[in-house]
Amino acid sequence: MKIAIGADHGGYSLKEIVVPFIQSLGHEVEDVGCDCEQSVDYPDYALPVCELVAEGKADRGILICGTGIGMSIAANKVTGIRCALVHDMFSAQATRDHNDTNVLAMGERVIGPGIAQEIIRIWLETPFSNGERHVGRLSKVQRIEAKYAQPVHAE
């Protein structure tokens, strides 16, 4: 898979650790930044990752900031994105199995590199169940999105 990844200053160090890990699992990585620990704005990195995913130029996206909260909020504003904030292995599996998430958000200040790598591994390896109830629920979410969301476009 092609994985787009982005982080702000609060997630920069963890991003630098997980990129080679993702590559070691056999995936291609497109890193949209940031490349520093100086203060930057998380939406500036969430948007390009989510646009790549929404436009089909990346299969999935990973976003990292201090808590993952800001990134997940920004990500879920993009039409077609289903981003989950995950800090444990059970949620990593469930969010793929039940919600078919295409973007993962994590917080560097919340979890360490070992847990982050295991979350990523599980999230990348878990398929969507395509269970009837889950498909039905996602259809409802898509109807909400269609009612309120604007089309994706580059600035």
Side-chain angles (χ1 to χ4, degrees), residues 13-85:
S13 296
L14 184 57
K15 177 179 68 76
E16 293 301 298
I17 292 168
V18 300
V19 165
F21 173 74
I22 295 165
Q23 292 168 327
S24 78
L25 297 174
H27 303 290
E28 179 185 350
V29 175
E30 182 163 345
D31 185 345
V32 304
C34 79
D35 59 2
C36 65
E37 293 180 340
Q38 286 73 43
S39 183
V40 296
D41 298 331
Y42 61 83
D44 295 339
Y45 299 93
L47 183 60
V49 166
C50 292
E51 286 179 334
L52 287 168
V53 174
E55 295 169 1
K57 296 176 183 173
D59 299 296
R60 300 214 196 135
I62 296 174
L63 299 169
I64 308 169
C65 63
T67 62
I69 296 168
M71 286 289 201
S72 65
I73 291 170
N76 281 311
K77 301 299 182 189
V78 177
T79 302
I81 296 302
R82 292 175 310 282
C83 178
L85 174 58

Side-chain angles (χ1 to χ4, degrees), residues 119-138:
I119 287 168
I120 290 169
R121 185 191 62 73
I122 291 167
W123 186 76
L124 291 174
E125 291 177 357
T126 302
F128 177 50
S129 68
N130 276 305
E132 185 177 337
R133 67 183 182 179
H134 302 306
V135 170
R137 291 169 183 158
L138 286 177

